[in-house]
């Protein structure tokens, strides 16, 4: 960490050690004064009183205290984790709420919940939970009367925006959505289709915005055996906004069409678990949106608030793959993350995605970008690192091309034969390309998905304008609606099965040999529902491997097996 931050943390730690273990706290009847702390300017109240629970008796004493200085740098020490919740929780102690001449104490359960959520971030930097946020000492139980210092943190997101009068609930507003508007639309959509939809957060951005996901499934919130998981991610680069809007529109479309009885959509939602993350980089979007469509620069808002390119921030497992691939017999799937990676700067948005894909067994994924008109697929990093452009296929080249074509072949503009169209230089390739053959880069999200969890992710460039004008959004939706649906349906292409031994018991992370199946249809699920063992899926022949004598035949029906049972003596890990 930077020397200044380390010095501040050390100074605060010394102060904590010397601080008395208990404090009488402020007099419940007190004189309220205006709140004048810049760090606490967005607190849900405007008045405080002295002395504070930490026995500070003036603004000068508060602002010169090590507790206040630490509160100001915790955001950077924790690399954006738990922000701004932690700051507002600290404000409730450093500047207690005062109303009507009485001090109000913050709720203990809020403190305890936040401490549990933030503890991994503190552990990651070897730092103890701050003493002045002692939940038992400075916070009150609900039965004694207390307030939630975080209650208005997302207050603006709860304000419902009424649709213009006379419009049906199926109405889609083809416009750019601010962060608050996006959250409101997703909340409203999840509420309309509560039987098949659910909204949740996978973490926070560096500036504290929830990375919100809307999920569609016959049983929202649950992974079901044989129900494949697929995710679509938009706005990884903050100024590439078309994908963000396409996923907001797609969420509304899926909900409305399901309720209207669209057989295709009902079948899709009843057999698939779909996760839509419209904005992976909401902080960068705010920078780009401040300039607006037609004025946004090519790179302004691309990075997150830490000035990190999120699509260069993932672990470089591709280099490790090339090293392992040269050694015969070594497995190159589910490659682990090196400890060295954590020594660098890892964005909270990146950490959230990594935890997400380690928790849910995604089979397919698409990341929606802007700046060209093409679909690319791994590897994105060249097998010869010094080559800027070099065809670098995965062992599943045929499968990736099939997935890329599933999108490009039904996209009217990608199939437009005019060489003057956007992305005309990809015309002879069918508007698809191996990523490294386009341009090589390391730390990409698609390579990481494939090598760490076997999730097949393609990258879709939706158009040459990164921040299109509002009047272009409806046309973009019309061009991308069918490709998005077609890609989602591709998750059902291939084999499925629950791996058991000959006695019908689940086999953990089984390795088997599949013969007689075309290479381009071997994506699918092999699940191991053992207690305490995560669901695993296999999406490529790299996992479907074993010895010849362990081969077990599969009965097929339109490319899917009726059973998938390796013998008990099979090769397993």
């Amino acid at each position: 960490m930077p020397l200044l931050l380390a010095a501040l943390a050390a100074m605060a730690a010394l102060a904590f050690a010397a601080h008395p273990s208990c404090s009488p706290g402020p007099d419940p009847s007190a004189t309220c004064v205006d709140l004048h702390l810049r760090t606490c300017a967005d607190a849900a109240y405007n008045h405080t009183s002295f002395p504070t629970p930490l026995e500070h008796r003036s603004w000068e004493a508060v602002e010169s205290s090590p507790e206040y200085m630490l509160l100001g740098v915790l955001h950077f020490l924790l690399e954006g984790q738990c922000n701004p919740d932690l700051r507002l929780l600290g404000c409730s102690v450093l500047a207690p709420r005062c109303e009507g001449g009485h001090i109000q104490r913050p709720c203990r359960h809020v403190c305890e919940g936040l401490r549990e959520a933030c503890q991994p971030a503190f552990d990651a930097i070897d730092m103890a939970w701050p003493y002045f946020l002692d939940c038992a000492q400075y916070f009150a139980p609900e039965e004694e009367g207390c307030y939630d210092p975080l209650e208005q943190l997302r207050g603006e997101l709860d304000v419902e925006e009424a649709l213009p009068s006379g419009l049906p609930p199926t109405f889609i507003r083809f416009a750019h959505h601010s962060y608050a508007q996006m959250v409101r639309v997703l909340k409203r959509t999840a509420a309309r289709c509560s039987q098949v939809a659910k909204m949740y957060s996978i973490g926070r951005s560096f500036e504290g915005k929830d990375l919100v996901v809307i999920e569609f499934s016959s049983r929202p919130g649950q992974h079901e055996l044989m129900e494949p998981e697929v995710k679509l991610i938009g706005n990884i680069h903050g100024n590439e906004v078309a994908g963000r809007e396409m996923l907001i529109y797609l969420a509304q479309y899926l909900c409305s069409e399901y309720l209207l009885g669209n057989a295709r959509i009902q079948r899709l939602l009843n057999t698939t678990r779909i996760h839509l993350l419209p904005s992976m980089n909401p902080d960068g979007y705010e920078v780009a949106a401040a300039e607006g469509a037609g004025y946004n620069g090519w790179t302004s808002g691309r990075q997150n608030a830490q000035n990190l390119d999120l699509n260069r921030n993932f672990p470089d497992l591709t280099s490790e793959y090339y090293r392992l691939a040269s050694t015969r017999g070594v497995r190159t799937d589910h490659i682990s993350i090196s400890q060295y990676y954590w020594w660098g700067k890892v964005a909270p948005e990146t950490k959230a995605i990594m935890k997400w894909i380690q928790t849910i067994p995604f089979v397919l994924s698409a990341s929606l970008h802007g700046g060209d008109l093409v679909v690319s697929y791994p590897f994105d990093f060249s097998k010869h690192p010094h080559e800027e452009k070099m065809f670098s296929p995965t062992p599943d080249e045929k499968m990736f091309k099939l997935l890329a074509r599933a999108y490009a072949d039904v996209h009217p503009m990608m199939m437009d034969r005019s060489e003057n169209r956007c992305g005309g230089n990809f015309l002879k390739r069918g508007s698809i390309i191996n990523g490294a053959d386009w341009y090589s880069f390391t730390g990409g999200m698609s390579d990481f998905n494939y090598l760490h969890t076997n999730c097949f992710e393609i990258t879709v460039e939706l158009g040459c304008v990164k921040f299109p004008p509002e009047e272009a959004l409806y046309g973009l939706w019309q061009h991308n609606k069918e490709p998005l649906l077609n890609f989602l349906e591709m998750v059902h292409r291939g084999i499925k099965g629950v791996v058991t031994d000959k006695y019908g018991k689940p086999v953990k992370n089984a390795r088997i040999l599949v013969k007689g199946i075309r290479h381009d249809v071997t994506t699918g699920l092999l699940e191991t529902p053992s207690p305490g063992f995560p669901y695993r899926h296999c999406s490529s022949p790299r996992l479907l491997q074993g010895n010849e004598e362990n081969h077990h035949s599969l009965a097929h029906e339109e490319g899917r097996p009726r059973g998938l049972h390796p013998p008990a003596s099979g090769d397993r890990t």
Side-chain angles (χ1 to χ4, degrees), residues 165-474:
S165 60
L167 290 176
T170 55
F171 174 76
I172 296 177
R173 177 172 167 259
F174 293 100
H176 290 293
H177 292 77
S178 69
Y179 176 77
Q181 289 170 333
M182 175 184 72
V183 174
R184 290 170 192 154
V185 168
L186 297 182
K187 279 186 176 180
R188 183 170 63 235
T189 302
R192 280 188 64 219
C193 289
S194 58
Q195 69 272 43
V196 291
K198 176 184 178 182
M199 183 174 158
Y200 65 95
S201 170
I202 62 169
R204 295 276 181 82
S205 70
F206 186 76
E207 293 185 342
K209 298 179 182 67
D210 276 304
L211 304 178
V212 291
V213 174
I214 185 167
E215 168 200 334
F216 291 92
S217 168
S218 57
R219 293 186 179 180
Q222 300 179 44
H223 174 77
E224 297 183 78
L225 283 175
M226 308 297 286
E227 183 179 76
E229 311 254 5
V230 59
K231 59 183 168 71
L232 302 178
I233 298 175
N235 208 198
I236 185 173
H237 292 138
N239 64 333
E240 297 173 9
V241 305
R244 170 193 180 102
E245 298 304 334
M246 294 304 106
L247 296 186
I248 295 172
Y249 307 156
L250 179 62
Q252 297 172 83
Y253 176 82
L254 291 175
C255 173
S256 295
E257 293 300 305
Y258 185 90
L259 295 178
L260 291 170
N262 183 318
R264 180 188 186 187
I265 300 304
Q266 288 188 338
R267 181 170 58 252
L268 179 63
L269 269 55
N270 288 334
T271 60
T272 320
R273 193 176 177 207
I274 300 167
H275 306 254
L276 309 179
L277 171 61
S279 184
M280 181 178 160
N281 187 1
D283 298 345
Y285 174 83
E286 294 300 322
V287 174
E291 296 180 351
Y295 298 95
N296 177 251
W298 192 253
T299 60
S300 182
R302 176 184 175 89
Q303 284 87 357
N304 78 336
Q306 295 167 284
N307 202 33
L308 294 174
D309 186 328
L310 299 180
N311 204 33
R312 309 291 188 275
N313 195 230
F314 286 85
D316 173 21
L317 302 185
T318 321
S319 295
E320 180 65 5
Y321 166 81
Y322 292 140
R323 187 186 69 81
L324 293 173
S326 62
T327 305
R328 185 168 182 171
V330 177
R331 290 183 64 172
T332 55
D333 57 272
H334 295 83
I335 298 175
S336 59
I337 302 169
S338 167
Q339 286 300 314
Y340 295 110
Y341 167 74
W342 301 107
W343 295 359
K345 185 176 285 188
V346 184
E349 297 91 342
T350 309
K351 291 178 181 177
I353 293 291
M354 291 167 65
K355 182 178 179 181
W356 190 34
I357 68 175
Q358 289 167 343
T359 304
I360 298 176
F362 293 111
V363 178
L364 293 185
S365 175
S367 176
L368 308 184
H369 291 245
D372 220 312
L373 191 63
V374 68
V375 181
S376 67
Y377 56 87
F379 288 123
D380 283 322
F381 187 45
S382 171
K383 59 184 177 182
H384 292 300
H386 299 298
E387 293 289 342
E388 294 183 2
K389 295 184 178 183
M390 184 177 189
F391 178 60
S392 303
T394 69
D396 297 289
E397 168 69 10
K398 290 183 179 180
M399 188 67 223
F400 270 118
K401 289 181 72 173
L402 186 71
L403 294 171
R405 284 179 178 144
Y407 201 100
D409 286 356
V410 294
H411 191 290
M413 294 309 296
M414 288 186 183
M415 287 297 98
D416 189 307
R417 308 308 298 175
S418 170
E419 294 184 1
N420 296 321
R421 70 161 172 83
C422 166
N425 52 319
F426 297 107
L427 191 59
K428 293 181 180 179
R429 299 174 180 262
S431 293
I432 70 170
I433 190 171
N434 169 260
D437 202 18
W438 183 11
Y439 64 92
S440 174
F441 67 91
T442 187
M445 185 165 65
S446 294
D447 283 12
F448 176 78
N449 269 267
Y450 177 67
L451 293 172
H452 189 61
T453 71
N454 252 22
C455 174
F456 281 34
E457 181 172 277
I458 62 170
T459 300
V460 182
E461 299 281 344
L462 295 170
C464 293
V465 180
K466 291 192 174 188
F467 205 127
E470 208 157 73
E471 56 268 23
L473 293 176
Y474 177 70

Side-chain angles (χ1 to χ4, degrees), residues 87-145:
R87 175 173 55 78
L88 292 176
L89 192 74
C91 288
S92 70
V93 176
L94 287 169
R97 181 175 185 168
C98 184
E99 288 188 3
H102 294 279
I103 294 296
Q104 295 183 329
R105 296 179 71 191
C107 291
R108 183 175 299 167
H109 75 273
V110 175
C111 176
E112 291 171 343
L114 190 61
R115 177 169 184 171
E116 181 180 356
C118 297
Q119 194 61 54
F122 280 90
D123 291 343
I125 61 171
D126 252 350
M127 182 177 176
W129 181 256
Y131 97 90
F132 65 92
L133 298 182
D134 185 326
C135 300
Q137 184 172 347
Y138 298 108
F139 297 80
E142 289 184 88
E143 55 267 24
E144 292 182 12

